[in-house]
Amino acid sequence: MAARVSVLGSKLARHEKGEFVRDRMLTADVPLGPFEGTKITVHSAKGKSARLHVRRECGLLRTTHVTTTEIPLSADVVERFCSGCADWGPRVRPTSGLGIFLAALGGAGLLHQLQAYVEPDEDVYWPQGEVQAAAELLRSERDPANEDDDERWEARREAGELQERVLSRWRRAAGSLCRAQAVVADFPWLADWARPKLLAKEGYLESLRAQAALFVEPAGLVVAAAAAALGTPSLPADDHAFAVLGNRSQISTGLSALWRRWQYAAEDGWEGSASRAFRRYDLVEGIRSNKKGHAEALEGARRLIQAWEDEARAAAAVTDPTPTVWVTARLPEDTEEPSRGETRDALDGLDRWTLGVVVTWTVTADWSRRTLTLKVPTLVADRLLASSSVLSCERGAEAAPAEVVSEAHPGFLRPGVFDDTAVFDRQPVTLAHLRALRNYSYAADQLYIVFSTSGGAEVLPLQAIEKRVEQGWLGVIVAGASDLPESLLSTWNKEVAPTSEADEGPHFGHDSAAQDDSLGADLGLAGGAQAAVRWVHGERAKEQDLRLLAMARGVPDLRSLDTGYPGVLSVAVWEGLLTPGPLDLTPFREPGTDRWRRGGGLPLGVLGPVQIYATNADPAFEGKGHSPFCRHARDRGLARSDDLLSVSDLLARDDWDWCSKCGGYSARRLTDTQLSYYRAAHKLHDIAGRLDEERTYRSPVEPEALRKQLEELADWQPGGHENLNWDGRWRWREVVGGLRNRVERRRLDIAP
């Protein structure tokens, strides 16, 4: 029999052994399903009967002799958890299969939801008679003769508050049932165990719906549907009663606004016309009540509103109010993530009229599929089907019951999908797996290494994986950024601590900077790592940024990592991937007549394929090109719409229209080999500048020192490999040879 883990009531309850059990505490009767036997790490004192702890720092682990072991998860193991660690559950990676399953159970997950909204709360309970009386009071028309009756208005106010509390309680109970059934649908081995609790929740939800329905007037919903279908009427802009509004154009504008406000109020609920009578005051808003013509305009507005009310009721009266039309309605999917705030209720986003329809005419509900079956009057059905609200509706018979799927179905989460088994045993990922990852893991939104026979090994954000799977892609998830080896990340984290030199900014140009090994330090990979953590607070946030940076460095086209706002990568990570500004390519440009910025004619070599990203790289297209970090681009990082070039493309033409503030583009961070060549080229170009006799101002020449530098530069090889015939090698040696000859001539000229 499968091991089971359970939870007892939402309030503290007594366990058989006398311990308190909370609504999120794991005990031994919830099915673990395929995760039974998964290895977990526990800590304990010595002794076979000692309590097990999932955290080494647990306050209940009061011993200096702690034993750490790895054991398979089972009912017996859960039974031995201390009360504190049972709240946390086994400590596993949040993106592993077991981690996702435990996240679905814990916190505000299934274990909590099964105890919430199962019966009337002692603090939130309304007798049926009280609800019935409040509903009748609200449905009764306001008596103008008693408008100043304070007691009557206070009673109506209290009845309105009770109506909102009942509706709110019903909505929250529906959201709780929806979340509970969704978890059971994602993990089907929980179905039998959870069924009694789910039935209790369904019964309580139905009792709340019945109470909420007392406040809703079905006839008012039909009239609201009729009001929504009314076309704009002919407005009496020439009526002298409205002269106080101004000229004819101003009167027409005011009456049009009055119509729109009335129609919006009429179609947004189920209350009678008396609740909208005050809209007449909207017409004379901003006009003094003692101004001549104010009373006439107010009376004219009352007549117009009454005429519109009569027209809506007449349109409703000619249709059959009997609910005869079947409509299948689907609630919007929950898009909130656990790390982005509170989870929205299933009925959030529905307008007041739609809520009234759901309360009044729902026949059946499958909350796990967020599907409701309604039987409504014709006029209401027409509005539901034509509406562009968040409720997706289609005409049809009662929805078919959900298909019962075995827990062995490949679409359900189990060990072997994520990183809890060897890669050799990894199973193809499905949309159901990805949905469970996104819904229950706070660490879901990150980068993943995936493998497929069609694309090999790739690094993709979760959103891109979901789109591929929807299109039939077959692949496995190898690892996520959170799974990278700690042995590498901890060492790297110490190495990239920002230094004072890293804050000095870029080192471009010639002279002493070109001869310094710090030249271009902010352009390389090490500088990128420092930039990624320089302004990030908190060790956990720094580690997460470094993990994402390490994953992203292997992506061929960085634009593929754009997932829209807010995006997987923070601006800090983008700064770690891209240079803070443009490259100084003067040494590689063709020699010209400008003696101050004269090109050196050096080969690009390993710098040729370096990627260049800009918002606009087409000079013929309107708008300048900007760096992804330019304030004109709002510091957003890369977007899919950005342009991709190479350094070779930059030197192929000279009519680029770049932003003067940011330089127009950012380059991908230079590898160690590329940075080494970038520095060597600048040093060589600096030597050429010192030997340029056309320059008025130049550094003193020391032939012997220059000769040694040229000897070192002549032997430059990519990555230190000797005898490698790299692109541009012969041109490089030709330039070095020419400079050697000039140094030799200079040495002879100054020799005694």
Side-chain angles (χ1 to χ4, degrees):
M1 178 181 294
R4 297 178 176 268
V5 181
S6 88
V7 65
L8 304 179
S10 59
K11 293 181 168 53
L12 293 180
R14 291 283 181 179
H15 190 269
E16 293 178 357
K17 298 182 179 180
E19 297 178 348
F20 283 115
V21 179
R22 290 171 287 275
D23 66 343
R24 304 173 192 183
M25 180 184 289
L26 297 177
T27 57
D29 64 334
V30 169
L32 292 171
F35 295 104
E36 181 182 6
T38 302
K39 292 296 184 65
I40 61 171
T41 300
V42 296
H43 314 276
S44 66
K46 293 183 178 180
K48 294 183 178 180
S49 60
R51 286 290 184 183
L52 300 179
H53 306 266
V54 299
R55 297 176 298 137
R56 176 63 180 81
E57 62 275 14
C58 178
L60 298 180
L61 184 56
R62 303 185 184 96
T63 179
T64 57
H65 304 287
V66 178
T67 301
T68 301
T69 56
E70 191 176 68
I71 60 177
L73 183 62
S74 65
D76 293 337
V77 170
V78 173
E79 187 70 23
R80 292 178 58 190
F81 281 160
C82 77
S83 59
C85 291
D87 276 345
W88 294 83
R91 177 169 289 185
V92 293
R93 291 187 301 276
T95 55
S96 66
L98 179 58
I100 295 171
F101 174 60
L102 292 176
L105 292 178
L110 181 64
L111 299 182
H112 171 71
Q113 299 302 334
L114 288 181
Q115 309 306 314
Y117 303 102
V118 294
E119 60 185 359
D121 192 282
E122 60 184 17
D123 299 324
V124 186
Y125 173 71
W126 309 281
Q128 188 71 11
E130 180 183 350
V131 175
Q132 182 73 42
E136 292 176 355
L137 178 59
L138 291 177
R139 283 201 299 269
S140 64
E141 292 290 338
R142 291 185 174 90
D143 186 358
N146 295 325
E147 286 186 353
D148 297 329
D149 188 342
D150 293 340
E151 292 185 2
R152 184 174 179 82
W153 277 106
E154 180 65 19
R156 292 187 69 91
R157 185 190 64 80
E158 292 179 353
E161 291 180 352
L162 179 58
Q163 172 185 255
E164 294 305 317
R165 288 198 298 270
V166 172
L167 285 171
S168 177
R169 181 76 175 176
W170 166 68
R171 290 173 58 177
R172 291 199 297 269
S176 175
L177 179 60
C178 183
R179 289 193 290 273
Q181 288 191 349
V183 174
V184 173
D186 288 335
F187 306 99
W189 56 87
L190 298 171
D192 292 340
W193 166 80
R195 184 171 292 111
K197 288 291 187 181
L198 291 177
L199 291 175
K201 291 177 69 66
E202 291 173 358
Y204 181 56
L205 178 62
E206 175 57 27
S207 67
L208 287 175
R209 189 204 64 78
Q211 284 190 333
L214 295 175
F215 291 100
V216 181
E217 188 175 356
L221 295 172
V222 178
V223 172
L230 293 179
T232 303
S234 176
L235 301 173
D238 296 324
D239 193 333
H240 293 292
F242 304 112
V244 71
L245 301 180
N247 56 35
R248 189 180 191 281
S249 175
Q250 291 172 322
I251 294 174
S252 179
T253 300
L255 294 179
S256 296
L258 178 64
W259 158 257
R260 290 192 300 271
R261 291 183 180 183
W262 171 85
Q263 188 179 42
Y264 179 79
E267 69 183 23
D268 191 46
W270 55 80
E271 294 83 358
S273 59
S275 65
R276 296 182 289 275
F278 73 93
R279 285 295 174 187
R280 64 184 184 273
Y281 292 99
D282 293 342
L283 184 64
V284 293
E285 184 178 2
I287 300 176
R288 299 192 315 272
S289 60
N290 61 351
K291 186 174 182 179
K292 183 179 179 180
H294 181 277
E296 290 80 357
L298 200 60
E299 176 60 23
R302 187 196 64 77
R303 292 195 306 269
L304 280 178
I305 291 177
Q306 187 59 50
W308 298 336
E309 293 282 357
D310 294 342
E311 185 179 0
R313 284 196 294 269
V318 299
T319 62
D320 185 3
T322 306
T324 57
V325 182
W326 288 97
V327 174
T328 300
R330 290 178 176 82
L331 298 169
E333 291 294 331
D334 180 22
T335 57
E336 294 291 330
E337 298 178 26
S339 60
R340 300 275 172 88
E342 294 184 3
T343 303
R344 291 163 53 90
D345 286 335
L347 298 174
D348 282 354
L350 300 186
D351 59 77
R352 188 174 178 82
W353 180 84
T354 306
L355 283 173
V357 170
V358 172
V359 164
T360 305
W361 289 304
T362 295
V363 178
T364 60
D366 184 351
W367 296 102
S368 64
R369 296 192 297 172
R370 308 176 81 90
T371 301
L372 308 176
T373 302
L374 313 175
K375 194 176 184 182
V376 299
T378 303
L379 202 58
V380 174
D382 292 341
R383 180 178 175 184
L384 287 174
L385 297 172
S387 175
S388 59
S389 67
V390 295
L391 193 66
S392 176
C393 299
E394 60 183 18
R395 191 184 299 269
E398 184 176 355
E403 179 183 359
V404 179
V405 184
S406 168
E407 64 184 70
H409 190 277
F412 290 112
L413 189 62
R414 62 194 187 282
V417 176
F418 295 108
D419 63 336
D420 40 15
T421 60
V423 176
F424 180 81
D425 297 324
R426 203 63 51 86
Q427 300 296 316
V429 67
T430 67
L431 280 177
H433 300 150
L434 298 176
R435 183 179 64 247
L437 174 65
R438 184 176 289 281
N439 289 345
Y440 306 119
S441 176
Y442 67 86
D445 205 6
Q446 57 174 290
L447 300 180
Y448 296 87
I449 301 175
V450 302
F451 177 81
S452 66
T453 56
S454 59
E458 302 173 88
V459 175
L460 298 173
L462 180 59
Q463 187 180 81
I465 301 175
E466 290 171 330
K467 290 182 178 179
R468 289 195 180 187
V469 174
E470 288 175 355
Q471 298 169 359
W473 179 78
L474 187 66
V476 300
I477 292 180
V478 178
S482 59
D483 305 319
L484 296 179
E486 181 64 25
S487 58
L488 294 179
L489 267 297
S490 59
T491 303
W492 191 29
N493 198 357
K494 297 176 182 178
E495 293 175 351
V496 299
T499 61
S500 58
E501 291 81 0
D503 296 328
E504 293 179 1
H507 299 281
F508 294 136
H510 304 287
D511 301 328
S512 60
Q515 300 300 328
D516 190 353
D517 287 340
S518 64
L519 171 69
D522 63 326
L523 305 176
L525 298 178
Q530 292 177 349
V533 300
R534 182 175 298 141
W535 308 114
V536 178
H537 300 285
E539 291 303 318
R540 177 173 295 182
K542 290 181 180 179
E543 180 181 337
Q544 176 65 9
D545 279 358
L546 288 178
R547 288 177 179 273
L548 293 173
L549 176 62
M551 295 280 278
R553 281 179 170 175
V555 177
D557 185 350
L558 296 178
R559 295 176 299 176
S560 64
L561 301 180
D562 173 38
T563 57
Y565 182 82
V568 176
L569 304 185
S570 64
V571 174
V573 178
W574 284 118
E575 290 177 346
L577 293 169
L578 301 171
T579 61
L583 303 176
D584 182 1
L585 300 177
T586 304
F588 312 102
R589 300 185 185 279
E590 292 299 324
T593 58
D594 185 355
R595 63 179 181 173
W596 299 109
R597 300 293 292 174
R598 182 175 299 175
L602 294 175
L604 281 174
V606 294
L607 293 177
V610 171
Q611 293 178 342
I612 302 295
Y613 294 94
T615 59
N616 176 24
D618 185 358
F621 192 80
E622 182 179 3
K624 294 182 177 294
H626 300 278
S627 159
F629 307 120
C630 181
R631 63 181 181 180
H632 296 108
R634 301 181 181 178
D635 294 321
R636 54 166 169 72
L638 280 182
R640 288 185 178 272
S641 58
D642 288 343
D643 292 332
L644 172 61
L645 305 170
S646 67
V647 171
S648 298
D649 296 328
L650 287 183
L651 296 185
R653 55 193 300 178
D654 57 3
D655 61 343
W656 304 108
D657 188 14
W658 299 133
C659 170
S660 60
K661 300 294 184 182
C662 66
Y665 66 86
S666 287
R668 192 158 185 166
R669 291 279 175 175
L670 304 182
T671 64
D672 293 342
T673 297
Q674 291 168 341
L675 182 58
S676 173
Y677 182 64
Y678 182 84
R679 289 171 172 168
H682 274 273
K683 290 179 180 179
L684 194 61
H685 186 62
D686 178 71
I687 294 174
R690 294 186 183 188
L691 297 174
D692 188 353
E693 297 180 354
E694 295 184 8
R695 286 193 178 184
T696 305
Y697 303 100
R698 57 182 185 271
S699 302
V701 175
E702 298 180 5
E704 186 61 27
L706 294 182
R707 185 183 64 80
K708 291 182 179 179
Q709 292 179 21
L710 289 172
E711 288 180 357
E712 295 176 358
L713 294 173
D715 296 331
W716 185 90
Q717 295 286 347
H721 298 290
E722 298 181 356
N723 302 320
L724 180 65
N725 190 20
W726 53 278
D727 185 26
R729 174 186 179 188
W730 296 108
R731 174 59 183 159
W732 176 269
R733 291 191 172 184
E734 181 182 5
V735 173
V736 172
L739 293 177
R740 278 176 169 175
N741 293 336
R742 293 167 64 181
V743 169
E744 183 63 21
R745 288 196 299 269
R746 183 63 62 86
R747 186 184 67 80
L748 294 176
D749 290 341
I750 64 177

